[in-house]
């Protein structure tokens, strides 16, 4: 009778030893996927915040990346303040990673295209009409490192993009 009980204990121990690495690998993979998903949604919220901020400003020069409204919008998305005095939400993000583009709807051709920086363009002071949409993107993306059980795998490039209606005049 004792031999059967000891055999059962040994087989349970063997099964646990075989399954433990698989369970640890699955848990590590789930944590990695959760971290990448969290980073994606944080980047998406950052891009959306920039688009909404610049989309409500008036007199924005979309042809100049140094326009104060664009600089304030990017700072707002990165830090939550327009002066950039707080730390960045996502480590490694910088202002030059973002691209802001104004777009207009052409009722004749029924197409949406980027506003030209020439005359008249999207500048109402130069005789143009205000843009219809603001597109904020990260053309080169954000590289999120992937580490599973100490192994470094090629990073995943996250490229969020948002298009919002322009509300400023």
């Amino acid at each position: 009778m004792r031999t059967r009980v000891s055999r059962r204990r040994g087989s349970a121990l063997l099964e646990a030893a075989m399954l433990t690495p698989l369970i640890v690998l699955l848990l590590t993979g789930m944590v990695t996927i959760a971290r990448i998903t969290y980073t994606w949604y944080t980047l998406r919220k950052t891009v959306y915040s920039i688009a909404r901020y610049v989309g409500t400003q008036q007199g924005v020069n979309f042809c100049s990346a140094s326009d104060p409204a664009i600089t304030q919008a990017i700072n707002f998305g990165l830090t939550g303040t327009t002066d950039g005095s707080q730390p960045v939400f996502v480590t490694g993000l910088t202002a030059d990673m973002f691209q802001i583009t104004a777009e207009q709807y052409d009722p004749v051709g029924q197409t949406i295209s980027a506003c030209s920086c020439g005359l008249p363009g999207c500048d109402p002071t130069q005789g143009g009409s205000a843009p219809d949409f603001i597109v904020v993107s990260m053309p080169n993306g954000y590289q999120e490192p992937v580490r599973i059980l100490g192994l470094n795998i090629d990073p995943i490039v996250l490229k969020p993009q948002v298009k919002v209606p322009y509300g400023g005049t």
Side-chain angles (χ1 to χ4, degrees):
M1 186 98 171
R2 284 187 121 184
T3 58
R4 287 185 184 175
V5 172
S6 63
R7 284 184 192 166
R8 288 183 189 162
R9 285 186 193 163
S11 65
L13 183 63
L14 181 63
E15 289 172 5
M18 289 172 44
L19 291 177
T20 300
L22 178 64
I23 291 171
V24 169
L25 181 65
L26 288 173
L27 288 174
T28 306
M30 287 175 18
V31 168
T32 301
I33 289 171
R35 187 176 42 79
I36 291 169
T37 303
Y38 174 78
T39 303
W40 166 257
Y41 281 111
T42 304
L43 290 173
R44 175 92 169 152
K45 181 67 175 174
T46 299
V47 169
Y48 180 77
S49 296
I50 292 170
R52 287 308 306 152
Y53 185 92
V54 79
T56 59
Q57 301 302 305
Q58 297 181 356
V60 179
N61 181 2
F62 292 102
C63 293
S64 172
S66 62
D67 184 72
I70 291 176
T71 303
Q72 289 174 351
I74 292 174
N75 284 336
F76 182 74
L78 288 174
T79 65
T81 62
T82 56
D83 61 356
S85 61
Q86 297 297 315
V88 178
F89 293 134
V90 178
T91 305
L93 275 185
T94 58
D96 60 343
M97 295 174 125
F98 298 96
Q99 179 181 5
I100 299 175
T101 308
E103 293 184 345
Q104 282 184 321
Y105 175 72
D106 179 18
V108 176
Q110 295 184 352
T111 59
I112 297 175
S113 59
C115 292
S116 68
C117 288
L119 293 177
C122 287
D123 189 2
T125 61
Q126 300 292 326
S129 61
D132 296 311
F133 299 99
I134 304 298
V135 178
V136 178
S137 62
M138 297 178 68
N140 296 326
Y142 177 83
Q143 292 191 358
E144 179 66 23
V146 178
R147 288 174 297 244
I148 298 178
L149 296 177
L151 298 174
N152 287 331
I153 303 171
D154 290 338
I156 294 176
V157 180
L158 304 173
K159 295 183 177 183
Q161 178 177 339
V162 159
K163 180 187 284 193
V164 297
Y166 181 68
T169 55

